[in-house]
Amino acid sequence: MTTIDPPGGHGRPAVPSAATRALERCVSVEPAKFAAAHWGRAPLLSRAAELPNPDGFTDLLSPADADELLSRRGLRTPFLRVARDGQLVPAARFTGGGGAGAEIGDQVLDERILELYAGGATLVLQGLHRLWPALIDFARDLGTALSQPLQVNAYLTPPGNQGFATHYDTHDVFVLQVDGRKHWRIHPPVLIDPLEKQPWGGRADEVSATADGPAALDVVLEPGDALYLPRGWLHSAQAQETSSLHLTVGIRALTRYALVEELLALAAEDPRLRAGLPFGTDVADPDAIEPELTETVEALRDWLLRADPAAVAARLRSRAWPAARPAPIRPLAQAAALTALTADSRIAPRPGLRWQLSPAADGRVALRLVDRTVTLPDQCAPALHALLGSTGLRVDDLPGLDDDADRLVLARRLLREAVAVPA
């Protein structure tokens, strides 16, 4: 397959080969064709035989792994939902305290989960991109390839059962069939590209009517198959003769409406748009509102023509960056690496790190991260650029600094700030 060009800095992590491989696991076409013909446009069914991993997706989460999470990991809500007959089961029916020293009352109780699952309920393990090591890494790599934040849930459905009625999601999804077989029926959208504030429940009658018509795709997913669905496409799924386990990767893409939201937030800077309506205006009277609406539209148009792209980008950054965490670090090992660091040690940028480097006041350079800004002497800029654009460097090879002592000071600071990790 074609390699995706790495975008590099400006807050976007480079796209390593691992990220390309993560996308290749989900689609049976070239990335460029997927982007042009399917991304946000049309479903794509990829059979296991067309995908590169002959073992399917059990390395990401197997049925035994799901049992481990449900029984031995102290799982708490909301990391588990239970659905039956299209409705969510109240969490109080399957949670409770964990015994001495673990009395918190929202922990999943395995015996109650057994009762519900054996009775036909679907189990939804949520937020697995924060819980399960293989999915933490996979989600980071796939999110890097797509340049979008994403989430991973797992659906465990008993034989012959269906967790949810026909519905649509307000985010794109990859469905990765891990175990068992599941029958999917896909119908065209009743609303193109729905926003998060436009869930399917508000159009339940349209959804139901469309679901009664011919399906755009009627298919049984086998282990190792993958299905891509753009947001808005209607779908329902039913397990077949055995239990089913599939992963759903939800991609939380930013939209042009997000630009509108940030532009309107910035429009509060315009005094014409902050002005009150005339005294005594009857806001329920269209004739009274019409001249005010005309003047407001003109003021808004004037302001939009002067909108600063840098200000909009800053607001979008504060929205997008926190939605995707970089790779986990091991605090104890990282602290030990700080004390053992030498000029021959190798360090690397933390995978998936979002960053921006820009000049700061008083001859310093600002390294902007998700939750803070680190300021350093200006002479550190060449070393920062070299490290953050690399896959790893010896401390002694950091450019722009006069001696080993300065390089060690910078390297220790970057390790302590979790910007870098031992390579």
Side-chain angles (χ1 to χ4, degrees):
M1 283 193 171
T2 326
T3 300
I4 300 175
D5 294 330
H10 300 292
R12 296 179 65 191
V15 179
S17 57
T20 304
R21 289 194 297 271
L23 178 58
E24 289 172 349
R25 293 192 67 173
C26 302
V27 297
S28 57
V29 298
E30 297 284 338
K33 182 176 180 180
F34 171 71
H38 296 280
W39 178 249
R41 292 177 175 83
L44 173 65
L45 171 65
S46 301
R47 291 298 189 183
E50 304 171 300
L51 296 173
N53 194 331
D55 297 323
F57 303 107
T58 54
D59 61 313
L60 299 179
L61 186 81
S62 68
D65 296 334
D67 256 345
E68 173 81 10
L69 279 166
L70 291 165
S71 61
R72 299 173 64 90
R73 295 299 182 99
L75 197 69
R76 299 172 61 188
T77 55
F79 287 103
L80 178 70
R81 289 188 301 162
V82 178
R84 189 169 185 177
D85 300 326
Q87 302 293 323
L88 289 177
V89 175
R93 286 191 56 190
F94 56 86
T95 58
E103 291 88 352
I104 297 171
D106 65 348
Q107 297 176 74
V108 172
L109 301 179
D110 44 12
E111 63 272 13
R112 294 189 186 175
I113 292 300
L114 168 61
E115 178 187 359
L116 288 165
Y117 184 71
T122 289
L123 311 180
V124 186
L125 290 162
Q126 301 194 129
L128 292 176
H129 59 293
R130 293 288 293 141
L131 285 179
W132 196 250
L135 287 172
I136 291 172
D137 296 338
F138 175 74
R140 183 185 69 251
D141 290 338
L142 183 57
T144 299
L146 299 173
S147 294
Q148 304 287 352
L150 50 81
Q151 64 190 55
V152 183
N153 295 345
Y155 291 76
L156 298 112
T157 308
N161 281 271
Q162 177 175 319
F164 297 96
T166 301
H167 65 283
Y168 65 75
D169 295 319
T170 58
H171 51 266
D172 294 32
V173 299
F174 287 110
V175 176
L176 311 178
Q177 187 69 26
V178 177
D179 187 65
R181 302 167 69 247
K182 205 161 195 181
H183 180 201
W184 286 76
R185 287 177 56 83
I186 312 299
H187 293 81
V190 298
L191 177 67
I192 301 293
D193 291 336
L195 302 170
E196 288 191 14
K197 61 176 67 178
Q198 296 171 314
W200 73 275
R203 292 172 169 76
D205 290 343
E206 293 176 81
V207 169
S208 179
T210 303
D212 288 338
L217 187 62
D218 191 323
V219 62
V220 174
L221 291 190
E222 308 274 353
D225 292 347
L227 174 66
Y228 166 73
L229 291 178
R231 58 193 164 110
W233 281 74
L234 308 185
H235 55 276
S236 63
Q238 184 173 31
Q240 298 300 284
E241 65 278 358
T242 62
S243 59
S244 166
L245 167 59
H246 78 262
L247 299 170
T248 294
V249 182
I251 301 104
R252 310 295 288 270
L254 288 175
T255 66
R256 286 183 175 171
Y257 190 75
L259 291 174
V260 173
E261 291 176 322
E262 302 306 341
L263 284 167
L264 288 177
L266 289 167
E269 299 172 3
D270 191 319
R272 290 176 64 190
L273 293 170
R274 294 199 306 270
L277 298 177
F279 179 80
T281 300
D282 182 357
V283 295
D285 181 0
D287 291 335
I289 289 298
E290 191 276 332
E292 299 304 319
L293 181 61
T294 299
E295 185 171 345
T296 300
V297 169
E298 290 176 356
L300 181 59
R301 183 186 300 114
D302 292 343
W303 184 88
L304 290 174
L305 292 173
R306 303 190 307 272
D308 180 7
V312 176
R315 293 187 64 90
L316 288 174
R317 179 183 64 238
S318 66
R319 177 191 289 210
W321 279 18
R325 285 190 58 79
I329 59 169
R330 298 176 180 270
L332 302 185
Q334 188 101 339
L338 277 167
T339 61
L341 197 70
T342 70
D344 286 328
S345 301
R346 286 182 61 84
I347 60 174
R350 184 178 179 183
L353 184 73
R354 299 282 185 142
W355 58 273
Q356 280 186 330
L357 200 60
S358 58
D362 302 324
R364 298 177 70 81
V365 64
L367 177 62
R368 181 176 289 111
L369 306 172
V370 172
D371 58 345
R372 65 198 185 282
T373 298
V374 178
T375 56
L376 296 158
D378 188 58
Q379 59 264 35
C380 294
L384 289 168
H385 276 293
L387 175 67
L388 293 170
S390 76
T391 57
L393 292 174
R394 288 174 64 247
V395 172
D396 197 39
D397 292 334
L398 292 172
L401 298 170
D402 294 334
D403 52 42
D404 284 350
D406 290 342
R407 287 186 278 270
L408 281 167
V409 168
L410 174 60
R412 288 194 182 100
R413 177 75 184 277
L414 296 178
L415 288 170
R416 185 180 293 274
E417 296 282 0
V419 171
V421 294

